[in-house]
Amino acid sequence: MSRVSAGSGAGSRRLAARLFGIPLRWLGLSAGAATLAVSGFFGGLEGPDEPAIPVVQPGTVDRGSPWNVTVSRVRLVNDLGTLRLTVPGDRWLAVVATVEVTADESRNDLDDVLRLTGVLGLMSQEPAHVMLMRDATELGRLNPGMPEEIAFVWEQSAGAAPPGTVTVQIYGKTYRMDNLANRMEWLDPAVRAEVVAPVQDRRAG
Amino acid sequence: MSEPPRSANPPAPAAPAAPARSGLARFGARLGVGALFVAALAAGGALTALRPNSDVRERPFVTAGGLGERVSTRTFDVTVLDVRGAAQVARFRQAHDTGGVWIVVRLRLTARNDPTTVGYAALRDERGRLYQQSERFTQPLTNSWVLQPGIPVEGEVAFEVPRAAASRLWLRLAENLAEQGMDSMAEVALLPVDPSTVDGWTRSTAPVPLQTPGAVGT
């Protein structure tokens, strides 16, 4: 009995010695592989579920940073005063929205506020013009805490069908540390809400 | 591959334990190295977190002053001469209303040693919010006007601010519009006004014409 007991103890010590003798890299790789395998078995390797983009009604304020946005109406027009179409015969698609800067500084990136999706024949992704409805002047800068009604204007090719409804995407940004510049910046523009709005056709003739 | 011949006298039982102890010792040493590595990472992370970021390290060098005082920066001097408010301003006979209130600041600018421009003009309120000069019409004094050393230029700059913020404001001026860090900036405290004065400004219907900038005698 004593021999068996002594042999068992020696075996476990040999096993321990072998385990301690395994190179650390092998141990790490093995642990990593095991973790991946277990994680994959429980769905850890699957992509994250994308949260659904909330849909807000026209006329409803969508609050966020660095601006609150209320999309009020969408219109098709032929003429916008002094603005000139790049291709004669095209039309303007104008989204009118109230924007209030919630950041602490004036913002000059107003052409990042809205995008249109599913509209064929747009000449650009970003609006061709951002106009202040108050006096129909081009708006380059909006100050904090001063909501203004703004027209975001796209040019649509005459060859594309005029849309009956459009989906307006409201973008937001995140104020976070820019690791490259090591300073706080408004980064990561992302869709935070969508507005499905009917298009009022106000083209003359 | 062949096993050594078994001896009649078996080896001492303590002999196989020697590699286990040396394995334990190696494991302990590795554990120590790992702990030191993690501690170094943690200390580095803590130091990085405590280090001020670029916003703090590269902030502008602010020279402060008050209404009527000459405030000097690296490239220009500024004296705020007057402040008024309005519901509408007029530039080139075109009236412009606002959702808040117009603050019109009359100031005198002088380049110090070399020709320069003042590209950044903003008002700061008590909450720290910054309102840059209006871009709804051209404001040459704080946009493109090249100041010559020793020749003062006077003119007005217009800002839109919320009515609630108009009672206490500071004017900020700097040479560079895009980036004010690591350079000098003038900050002038405007006289505080009571809310009834602000209400009076917003009730006036006549547009306030903005003074066109021009050189003045020294």
Side-chain angles (χ1 to χ4, degrees), chain A residues 3 10 13-14 16-17 19-24 27 100-108 132 134-135 137-141 143-148 175 177 181-185, chain B residues 13 16-17 19-20 23-24 26-27 30 51-55 57-58 94-101 120-121 127-136 159-162 177 179:
Chain A
R3 282 178 62 102
R13 279 194 293 274
R14 269 197 298 272
L19 276 176
F20 293 140
I22 294 173
L24 204 57
L27 272 176
E100 177 183 3
V101 171
T102 56
D104 283 340
E105 292 186 54
S106 308
R107 299 212 59 85
N108 62 356
L132 182 64
R134 180 183 296 281
D135 58 4
T137 55
E138 198 93 29
L139 185 63
R141 185 181 291 154
N143 283 344
M146 301 189 69
E148 288 285 0
Y175 193 59
M177 182 65 72
N182 190 31
R183 67 178 60 199
M184 297 297 285
E185 302 266 10
Chain B
L24 269 173
R26 266 188 292 163
F27 183 73
R30 285 173 179 175
R51 192 185 63 169
N53 63 29
S54 298
D55 290 321
R57 287 200 317 270
E58 300 173 10
Q94 166 92 38
H96 301 274
D97 63 353
T98 176
V101 61
Y120 177 79
R127 287 175 49 183
R129 294 189 298 184
L130 292 167
Y131 311 91
Q132 287 191 42
Q133 63 176 318
S134 177
E135 282 189 337
R136 292 170 60 189
F159 304 84
E160 285 178 279
V161 301
L177 170 63
E179 177 59 59

Side-chain angles (χ1 to χ4, degrees), chain B residues 46-132:
Chain B
L47 282 175
T48 305
L50 288 174
R51 192 185 63 169
N53 63 29
S54 298
D55 290 321
V56 177
R57 287 200 317 270
E58 300 173 10
R59 63 189 181 278
F61 301 96
V62 175
T63 310
L67 197 75
E69 297 175 10
R70 174 185 283 204
V71 179
S72 296
T73 70
R74 181 178 61 84
T75 55
F76 63 88
D77 296 337
V78 57
T79 306
V80 174
L81 305 171
D82 186 30
V83 182
R84 53 187 176 151
Q88 292 189 68
V89 294
R91 172 72 92 190
F92 305 123
R93 285 173 287 192
Q94 166 92 38
H96 301 274
D97 63 353
T98 176
V101 61
W102 286 104
I103 301 295
V104 180
V105 182
R106 191 161 71 89
L107 44 85
R108 180 186 300 141
L109 294 170
T110 313
R112 285 170 62 86
N113 300 310
D114 298 297
T116 189
T117 55
V118 176
Y120 177 79
L123 292 179
R124 176 175 69 82
D125 70 7
E126 285 185 302
R127 287 175 49 183
R129 294 189 298 184
L130 292 167
Y131 311 91
Q132 287 191 42

